[in-house]
Amino acid sequence: MRVKVLSRNPDDYVRETKLDLQRVPRNYDPALHPFEVAREYTRAMNATKLERVFAKPFLSSLDGHRDGVNCMAKHPKSLSTVLSGACDGEVKIWNLTRRQCIRTIQAHEGFVRGMCARFCGTSFFTVGDDKTVKQWKMDSPEYGEEEEPIHTILGKTVYTGIDHHWKDPVFATCGHQVDIWDEQRTSPMCSLTWGFDSISSVKFNPIETYLLGSCASDRNIVLYDMRKSTPLKKVILNMRTNTICWNPMEAFIFTAANEDYNLYTFDMRFLESPVMVHMDHVSAVLDVDYSPTGKEFVSASFDKSVRIFPVAKGHSREVYHTKRMQHVITVKWTSDSKYILCGSDEMNIRLWKANASEKLGVLAPREKAAMNYNQKLKEKFQYHPKIRRIAQHRHLPKSIFCQIKEQRIMREARRRKEQNRRKHSKPGSVPLVPEKRKHIVAVVK
């Protein structure tokens, strides 16, 4: 026996609130909607314009340091905790939800050169100009207890950077060589070196945790394997690399922040040419940090701006700046992928939204549905000239705007000169070098 049943889903016709609009059933047959594309184009245009209207990325500034902010570190377990080190040797721990400093430590004499948190979040390490590595408790000392480091290691030279292993009680420091330390020992387990120049930064790979990379002032990026206790290979660029950052989702991909105003995304298996050259800054790039999704990264530059780049694109999707912000030295992307923190010369840490026009707080279901619909419309019409122009337009400080124009003229002149040289030379004598390979000097294995 067959029984026919009428199915009525209340979600299709019941209002969410008394003030809501009545729901109307809709027939999606395209033959009944001949002007659908024209209507959607208008909606996409309005959505793109409103996105620019509501783009207010700056949230707050955390002030309290008495000297320029030189380095920052994220807490591995707590989203609301961030650590910062300044040029006067002071370390501050901040609570981002309250937006205030919860603890201050006079950690070093001179600059705090680097800092990192232990993978379990119970302690953190700092290195400074006083040739020491110090381990501190993450929690505040008890009443009557002195603010003392748990361990202090006195080195022979100044350490310029530090990074902790993602799973083991092991950390790496860099100075005139890369040292791998066990937390329980006062001398390094092994020292890795290739060449004789000062190393400015060292980073452990978050996926293949036995791999680490470093960059030195002799223009090298060197990759090491902890299991072999030897360097693997190095790539030499035209200019010095300030720091590198590994992609947290793709084990072999890392991005290097260079002095020649560019960022280079490399695949460590094929160092002969970068995967992508990111070219938007107009001064040296000082720091870079990946989003936890691995799809974007943020860069800090000497040109007083912060830019957000998609990994697969050569130009930034967003640029952040304020009138007061000076040279941006350090930058971090929070672990929930929603916010960006940057520390600059003029003693401030600034908190930005990763998505400039995103609405913070609880969203009603209808609001969420409308936002998703608008997002899809913008993606559908993103290559239309008028919509693309509105979406890409950014107001820039006059200094950056003029330098971008000047660099465009210089690039065009170089390209024209190369074309003329090729035209008036014997065929094949002036080879055509792709843009990606122009910046690589050599790869040594």
Side-chain angles (χ1 to χ4, degrees), residues 67-271:
D67 209 334
V69 181
N70 199 47
C71 54
M72 286 195 294
K74 291 182 284 192
H75 193 291
K77 303 287 183 187
S78 164
L79 282 175
S80 60
T81 308
V82 70
L83 305 101
S84 64
C87 298
D88 58 354
E90 201 172 61
V91 169
K92 282 184 181 286
I93 302 176
W94 304 87
N95 185 314
L96 293 181
T97 42
R98 298 210 304 265
R99 295 180 191 174
Q100 57 184 221
C101 176
I102 53 174
R103 188 169 159 215
T104 303
I105 306 164
Q106 187 58 47
H108 295 276
E109 292 169 21
F111 283 41
V112 179
R113 289 288 172 188
M115 61 196 311
C116 65
R118 198 172 187 272
F119 60 90
C120 61
T122 53
S123 62
F124 64 94
F125 295 82
T126 61
V127 293
D129 275 357
D130 52 4
K131 302 181 184 178
T132 56
V133 181
K134 293 184 181 179
Q135 184 182 3
W136 306 84
K137 274 186 188 171
M138 194 66 79
D139 300 325
S140 300
E142 299 294 325
Y143 180 73
E145 201 181 331
E146 288 288 317
E147 186 76 87
E148 293 276 324
I150 306 170
H151 299 298
T152 303
I153 299 167
L154 186 60
K156 294 173 185 172
T157 57
V158 173
Y159 297 111
T160 53
I162 186 168
D163 196 32
H164 202 282
H165 195 279
W166 291 80
K167 290 174 183 172
D168 299 336
V170 170
F171 63 93
T173 59
C174 61
H176 73 287
Q177 62 188 15
V178 172
D179 293 324
I180 311 290
W181 305 76
D182 189 303
E183 285 180 13
Q184 306 304 319
R185 293 171 59 178
T186 54
S187 58
M189 293 194 298
C190 69
S191 297
L192 308 165
T193 182
W194 193 346
F196 299 96
D197 224 317
S198 59
I199 297 160
S200 56
S201 166
V202 62
K203 291 284 164 73
F204 275 101
N205 191 320
I207 303 167
E208 302 291 346
T209 49
Y210 50 82
L211 290 176
L212 64 155
S214 73
C215 43
S217 52
D218 57 355
R219 305 174 298 158
N220 289 347
I221 299 171
V222 187
L223 303 174
Y224 309 93
D225 190 334
M226 263 173 58
R227 297 169 303 180
K228 294 168 76 175
S229 302
T230 54
L232 288 175
K233 48 178 147 176
K234 69 174 173 181
V235 56
I236 306 167
L237 278 75
N238 275 331
M239 288 184 78
R240 187 164 74 101
T241 300
N242 287 314
T243 186
I244 66 166
C245 186
W246 294 92
N247 190 323
M249 288 292 163
E250 295 181 75
F252 302 109
I253 304 292
F254 66 90
T255 297
N258 205 278
E259 287 278 329
D260 65 359
Y261 316 168
N262 298 340
L263 294 113
Y264 301 98
T265 298
F266 284 97
D267 186 326
M268 66 168 284
R269 297 165 296 181
F270 314 106
L271 291 174

Side-chain angles (χ1 to χ4, degrees), residues 413 415-425:
R415 192 183 63 80
R416 205 165 50 242
K417 183 177 180 179
E418 198 177 316
Q419 276 183 345
N420 290 341
R421 191 176 285 162
R422 193 172 291 111
K423 198 190 295 178
H424 298 290
S425 300

Side-chain angles (χ1 to χ4, degrees), residues 34-50 373-374 376-391:
F35 300 114
E36 186 177 29
V37 173
R39 252 199 319 270
E40 283 188 343
Y41 171 74
T42 308
R43 286 174 186 166
M45 176 73 84
N46 290 339
T48 308
K49 286 178 179 175
L50 284 172
Y373 176 60
N374 285 340
K376 285 295 172 192
L377 283 177
K378 283 184 284 190
E379 283 173 22
K380 184 177 176 180
F381 292 95
Q382 64 183 329
Y383 298 112
H384 194 282
K386 285 188 179 177
I387 288 178
R388 187 169 63 182
R389 186 185 63 78
I390 294 166

